[in-house]
């Protein structure tokens, strides 16, 4: 998962080339990459999508919550920690709805369901637990480098590590791995000595 679309494309290409080394027939298979670039939901009509997909108030609320989670998502990347809900249910609902006939009235919403399903796949990825989490996190101190949105986001979601983004990523990766999982990050070692990170 990356905030940069091109980085995700390059990762997909590199992975396919590695796979080609192992299997000469890899290009004949329908391989689905589990690589994403995070997308933002700012342009989505959350009320319209909730009306089209949601069958009850709880579902409509969850749909709105998913969309709200990804507003300005390119700022936060995998620091986003979505709620743990049944995302597969919403993928099924999207599948059901897209089987229906598209009219001039609902064409715009149908177009947006594609973006919404992308958000759901990212949510599934970010709410799951893994054996290994690996990243080279950004180094960005809260005092000078962070923009106002990022500063507010980390203050709310990562109060223990808010001083620098690399520390927020250390904390986030620990929530992405299971009890016996490994987390590997390219970081400064100052977090082990400075008062900011005692907790």
């Amino acid at each position: 998962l990356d905030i940069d679309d091109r980085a995700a494309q390059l990762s997909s290409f590199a992975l396919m080339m590695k796979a080609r080394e192992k299997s000469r027939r890899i290009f004949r298979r329908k391989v689905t990459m589990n690589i994403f670039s995070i997308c933002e939901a700012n342009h989505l009509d959350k009320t319209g999508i909730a009306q089209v997909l949601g069958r009850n108030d709880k579902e409509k609320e969850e749909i709105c919550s998913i969309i709200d989670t990804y507003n300005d998502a390119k700022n936060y990347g995998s620091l986003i920690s979505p709620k743990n809900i049944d995302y597969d249910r919403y993928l099924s609902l999207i599948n059901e709805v897209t089987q229906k006939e598209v009219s001039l009235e609902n064409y715009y919403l149908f177009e947006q369901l594609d973006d919404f399903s992308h958000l759901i796949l990212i949510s599934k990825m970010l709410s799951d637990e893994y054996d290994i989490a690996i990243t080279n996190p950004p180094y960005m101190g809260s005092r000078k480098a962070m923009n106002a949105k990022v500063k507010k986001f980390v203050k709310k979601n990562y109060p223990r590590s808010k001083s620098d983004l690399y520390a927020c990523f250390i904390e986030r990766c620990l929530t992405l791995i299971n009890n016996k999982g490994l987390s590997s990050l390219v970081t400064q070692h100052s977090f082990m000595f400075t008062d900011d990170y005692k907790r």
Side-chain angles (χ1 to χ4, degrees):
L1 183 67
D2 206 287
I3 58 171
D4 187 327
D5 298 345
R6 185 52 56 96
Q9 290 169 352
L10 289 171
S11 295
S12 297
F13 176 74
L15 196 58
M16 281 305 286
M17 292 302 98
K18 274 286 178 198
R20 175 63 179 81
E21 283 179 17
K22 306 287 181 187
S23 169
R24 298 174 82 186
R25 296 191 181 122
I26 193 73
F27 296 124
R28 292 183 196 154
R29 298 181 193 165
K30 283 195 173 182
V31 176
T32 305
M33 292 288 190
N34 200 24
I35 295 173
F36 295 94
S37 65
I38 205 153
C39 59
E40 295 185 333
N42 303 45
H43 67 288
L44 293 180
D45 175 5
K46 78 174 173 185
T47 309
I49 292 172
Q51 291 289 58
V52 167
L53 287 181
R55 295 172 299 189
N56 54 52
D57 288 344
K58 182 180 182 271
E59 286 184 354
K60 288 175 186 173
E61 193 179 304
E62 282 183 346
I63 289 164
C64 289
S65 170
I66 293 166
I67 292 170
D68 287 340
T69 299
Y70 292 94
N71 282 332
D72 302 314
K74 291 268 187 201
N75 264 318
Y76 320 124
S78 47
L79 287 178
I80 292 170
S81 188
K83 291 178 182 171
N84 203 352
I85 59 177
D86 183 5
Y87 293 108
D88 288 326
R89 182 173 74 225
Y90 293 108
L91 288 172
S92 297
L93 285 171
I94 290 168
N95 197 35
E96 271 177 45
V97 169
T98 52
Q99 301 301 320
K100 294 176 184 172
E101 210 168 293
V102 181
S103 65
L104 283 173
E105 293 88 42
N106 64 18
Y107 174 77
Y108 175 66
L109 277 173
F110 270 68
E111 214 173 41
Q112 291 200 343
L113 288 179
D114 214 28
D115 289 341
F116 183 62
S117 65
H118 192 74
L119 294 182
I120 290 172
L121 291 171
I122 292 169
S123 295
K124 279 183 70 169
M125 181 185 283
L126 286 174
S127 60
D128 214 344
E129 282 191 344
Y130 299 91
D131 295 321
I132 303 170
I134 303 170
T135 188
N136 182 4
Y139 299 83
M140 187 183 289
S142 62
R143 288 185 184 90
K144 293 179 183 173
M146 287 184 198
N147 68 40
K149 286 180 179 178
V150 173
K151 196 179 282 194
K152 185 179 174 187
F153 179 85
V154 296
K155 191 175 181 181
K156 179 185 174 190
N157 297 290
Y158 297 91
R160 295 185 303 174
S161 52
K162 65 184 178 202
S163 300
D164 199 293
L165 273 188
Y166 85 84
C168 297
F169 273 89
I170 292 173
E171 190 175 343
R172 177 64 176 117
C173 283
L174 292 174
T175 64
L176 280 169
I177 56 173
N178 57 37
N179 288 338
K180 294 182 179 180
L182 298 171
S183 178
S184 177
L185 294 89
V186 180
T187 64
Q188 300 172 17
H189 60 286
S190 57
F191 75 90
M192 295 188 277
F193 311 109
T194 57
D195 286 346
D196 285 341
Y197 306 120
K198 267 184 178 173
R199 280 164 45 210

